[in-house]
Amino acid sequence: MFNAVDIIVVGRFSGSEALAAVGSTTALINVFTNLFIGISLGANVLAARFFAAGRKRKEKSMTLKEFYAAVGGDYDATLNRIPKESMVLRFVKKYADDKTYAQLTEAVGNQDWETAFRASHTLKGVALNLGLGSLAHASSQMTEALRAVRIRCLKAYSHSMWRCRRSTLPCAARSSSSKSN
């Protein structure tokens, strides 16, 4: 754009030799412009990678106790039920891969209330045993709605359970034993 304006002004008010001189510098100006754009993009990529690497390090350092605080769980009550922290950690990490929630959503979609009830009841039991309070509460509400087959309540409870599970899973994947910090 810069060189185009120069060519217009010089072409209008000067001769063809002056216009040729301005036109011959176009390639040189484009080289410098593209060089600086490339350096700028490269610096942005390096800054983004550095920033992302710092975030990953922070995410990996979450202890099991921090996980329970992040998801509104009861760390101490869970350790009273399951006395080894390593065991609790193993169950929390396995929960993230559990297929029961997928079974529940499929069963509700197919209006298979018996399968939906079993899946919801399983999720409630797991969440209660692991001390995942908000997820256990949402699962419990859904289980009771399914027990009575109160279909109009299911949509609200299903959304509540989805929201609780969505906030639990990323933290479960990042949690580690507090002894490692």
Side-chain angles (χ1 to χ4, degrees):
M1 182 74 175
F2 174 73
N3 232 8
V5 173
D6 283 347
I7 291 172
I8 292 170
V9 172
V10 171
R12 186 160 237 188
F13 299 110
S14 298
S16 60
E17 288 178 14
L19 183 58
V22 171
S24 68
T25 63
T26 302
L28 186 62
I29 288 175
N30 284 341
V31 166
F32 283 117
T33 302
N34 289 331
L35 176 71
F36 289 122
I37 288 172
I39 290 170
S40 170
L41 287 173
N44 282 338
V45 168
L46 291 175
R49 288 184 73 195
F50 177 76
F51 178 72
R55 288 180 70 189
K56 285 180 185 174
R57 270 187 245 119
K58 287 179 188 174
E59 289 176 358
K60 288 181 181 176
S61 66
M62 178 181 266
T63 66
L64 191 59
K65 195 168 193 170
E66 290 168 336
F67 160 73
Y68 273 91
V71 300
D74 192 344
Y75 175 77
D76 295 325
T78 303
L79 283 181
N80 284 336
R81 258 188 314 283
I82 307 170
K84 285 183 135 185
E85 188 179 80
S86 61
M87 219 172 178
V88 174
L89 178 62
R90 192 172 71 207
F91 288 133
V92 165
K93 288 192 176 281
K94 281 187 177 202
Y95 175 75
D97 297 327
D98 187 47
K99 305 294 183 227
T100 309
Y101 183 76
Q103 291 170 353
L104 172 65
T105 55
E106 183 181 341
V108 169
N110 294 334
Q111 297 184 357
D112 179 359
W113 307 124
E114 186 177 329
T115 303
F117 173 77
R118 277 195 312 268
S120 180
H121 197 270
T122 299
L123 288 171
K124 178 181 93 167
V126 170
L128 284 169
N129 283 324
L130 290 177
L132 305 173
S134 56
L135 184 61
H137 180 71
S139 300
S140 180
Q141 287 179 322
M142 184 140 191
T143 300
E144 294 310 311
L146 284 164
R147 187 183 311 273
V149 191
R150 292 182 291 207
I151 296 171
R152 66 176 179 259
C153 298
L154 286 175
K155 189 173 183 179
Y157 295 148
S158 178
H159 182 69
S160 173
M161 193 162 135
W162 173 81
R163 218 176 35 246
C164 293
R165 188 172 190 275
R166 186 183 68 181
S167 66
T168 301
L169 289 182
C171 293
R174 294 188 339 239
S175 60
S176 63
S177 175
S178 63
K179 295 172 185 170
S180 65
N181 281 347

